[in-house]
Amino acid sequence: MRDATDVRRTPVAPKKEPAICPTDDEAQVPRKAAKDKRSFGYVWRSGVAGGLAGCAAKTIVAPLDRVKILFQSHNPHFVKYTGSWSGVALAVKDIYRQDGSVGLFKGHSATLLRIFPYAAIKFLAYEQIRAIVIPHKDKETPFRRLISGSLAGVTSVFFTYPLELIRVRLAFETKKEGRSSLRSICKQIYQERHFTKLALPGTDAAAASASSIRGAVATAAPPLASSYGLANFYRGFSPTLLGMLPYAGMSFLTHDTVGDLLRHPAIAQYTTLAKPENSPPGKPAPLRSWAELSAGGIAGVVSQTASYPLEVIRRRMQVAGAVGDGHRMRVGETARLIMRERGFRGFFVGLTIGYVKVMPMAAAAFYTYERLKMWFGI
């Protein structure tokens, strides 16, 4: 009996349960490891989130985008509508009367084909470049944010520019009969010839007479050399690169800066949500819907203003082959043409509709991207 009693009274060590609270003295909950931004899981999640965000944003503003392209490219049928808010509404009404609701989304299929890889590469590149340029929190400065965004924009536009050119050509068309298909547009762009003037050896162009020039042409070399091919799909690429530097840079810089301001401790309880359980360590609390949309909208307005003149130049260069004699216009030549036609205001034609379009587009893009990142746990 004694042995049995002793056995009963011998304390049995309870099975150790995992700690419920990180302040438990008996156990310690391991800290969540930081997400490796170069891992395959992070890369594909951020890429998909960026691509879907871009598609959602572009679909929302597709009708306004069509009108803006017609204004920027100086389409002869829509010049009369430029310069006023009412002109935007009249242009939309004109397109709807002529082609129905389908006309407002003309070129949108090409837009989605372009925007998914474009937005995926842009957001993915920003995350990767930012991790290199800003390795630690104490290295985060406005200039580093600007550089990260600019490089991300240049990277994305390099890989997707031909699709952008095709989209602009499709949106530029307004004729009812003989509409071009995607295939015919590609064929037309490929076969467009541009001409380059050749220098005449041993001839001073300023002093040569007309007869001497004709003689030199006949005996030396042809004055014009034509070329065509894949290079035509990069028509207007130079101003695009120049415009993307301020556009993407200011977009990411403004969004992140406004986000920081909205997370200030004095107002954080009104602007932020509780951190989700799968949130990576060190990641700031997500903004409420209205705050995230506001940050994205402000970013869109600032970036659009900074880059709009170069965007107008780019559109005119992109449609030059469709309305001109095949001459490939350079950046300076296009800028002088715009200045001669409409003066300084010509560089801001369509900016009104640009603001109307870019605010919801940028707001929707950043909102969708941040919410998908939160859902993916990155």
Side-chain angles (χ1 to χ4, degrees):
M1 291 291 293
R2 181 181 177 184
D3 292 338
T5 304
D6 289 343
V7 170
R8 283 196 307 270
R9 291 179 179 177
T10 302
V12 179
K15 187 177 179 181
K16 201 166 190 179
E17 299 292 337
I20 298 175
C21 177
T23 56
D24 288 347
D25 293 329
E26 290 123 27
Q28 185 176 3
V29 177
R31 301 179 93 185
K32 246 189 297 188
K35 293 281 185 183
D36 182 9
K37 291 192 174 184
R38 296 186 181 181
S39 66
F40 176 74
Y42 190 98
V43 168
W44 80 259
R45 285 178 174 86
S46 59
V48 169
L52 293 176
C55 289
K58 275 293 187 179
T59 301
I60 290 173
V61 299
L64 291 175
D65 201 27
R66 173 91 199 277
V67 175
K68 192 187 79 165
I69 289 175
L70 292 172
F71 282 7
Q72 285 181 331
S73 55
H74 207 59
N75 187 287
H77 299 291
F78 288 85
V79 172
K80 58 186 176 183
Y81 296 130
T82 60
S84 67
W85 286 92
S86 60
V88 175
L90 290 173
V92 171
K93 184 179 178 181
D94 194 357
I95 295 172
Y96 183 81
R97 184 175 61 251
Q98 181 175 335
D99 300 316
S101 58
V102 176
L104 295 173
F105 288 86
K106 185 172 178 60
H108 189 56
S109 57
T111 297
L112 294 181
L113 286 175
R114 179 194 72 91
I115 200 62
F116 186 88
Y118 167 80
I121 294 171
K122 183 177 74 170
F123 282 105
L124 171 59
Y126 179 69
E127 298 284 358
Q128 299 299 315
I129 295 172
R130 179 188 168 92
I132 297 172
V133 177
I134 310 175
H136 306 292
K137 188 70 176 176
D138 57 351
K139 298 287 186 180
E140 191 163 7
T141 63
F143 178 74
R144 289 175 183 263
R145 285 177 170 176
L146 179 68
I147 291 297
S148 300
S150 298
L151 292 178
V154 168
T155 302
S156 61
V157 80
F158 176 79
F159 288 104
T160 59
Y161 187 81
L163 289 171
E164 162 70 0
L165 179 61
I166 294 169
R167 178 184 76 91
V168 170
R169 288 295 185 87
L170 286 170
F172 180 74
E173 287 191 346
T174 57
K175 55 187 178 182
K176 289 184 178 181
E177 299 177 358
R179 293 187 184 280
S180 302
S181 64
L182 183 62
R183 181 179 179 182
S184 64
I185 284 286
C186 293
K187 185 177 180 181
Q188 176 189 347
I189 295 172
Y190 183 85
Q191 293 179 345
E192 285 171 0
R193 293 178 179 270
H194 71 282
F195 301 93
T196 305
K197 293 181 181 179
L198 297 180
L200 300 176
T203 304
D204 185 356
S209 64
S211 59
S212 64
I213 290 178
R214 285 193 295 269
V217 168
T219 59
L224 298 176
S226 65
S227 62
Y228 64 97
L230 294 178
N232 286 344
F233 287 92
Y234 282 85
R235 188 192 294 267
F237 187 61
S238 298
T240 300
L241 284 181
L242 294 175
M244 185 54 64
L245 290 172
Y247 181 83
M250 292 301 297
S251 179
F252 282 108
L253 169 62
T254 306
H255 174 265
D256 291 353
T257 302
V258 174
D260 290 344
L261 295 174
L262 291 172
R263 291 185 180 92
H264 191 277
I267 58 173
Q269 59 178 325
Y270 307 109
T271 60
T272 60
L273 299 169
K275 274 191 175 186
E277 293 182 359
N278 62 346
S279 178
K283 184 178 175 67
L287 294 172
R288 295 180 184 272
S289 296
W290 70 266
E292 185 63 64
L293 290 170
S294 298
I298 295 171
V301 170
V302 173
S303 59
Q304 180 83 347
T305 305
S307 63
Y308 198 80
L310 285 168
E311 186 179 350
V312 173
I313 294 174
R314 172 168 63 100
R315 298 293 191 203
R316 290 296 294 270
M317 292 178 70
Q318 285 176 331
V319 301
V323 297
D325 57 359
H327 173 62
R328 178 174 292 174
M329 299 174 65
R330 300 184 182 277
V331 176
E333 185 180 359
T334 307
R336 287 192 294 272
L337 176 63
I338 295 171
M339 178 65 76
R340 185 168 63 250
E341 287 180 349
R342 308 199 58 171
F344 184 73
R345 293 182 59 185
F347 292 100
F348 294 92
V349 170
L351 182 58
T352 301
I353 190 174
Y355 283 143
V356 174
K357 189 199 87 165
V358 80
M359 282 189 68
M361 185 180 73
F366 278 113
Y367 175 82
T368 306
Y369 180 65
E370 292 297 334
R371 287 300 185 264
L372 286 174
K373 280 178 64 180
M374 186 169 64
W375 188 63
F376 283 143
I378 60 174

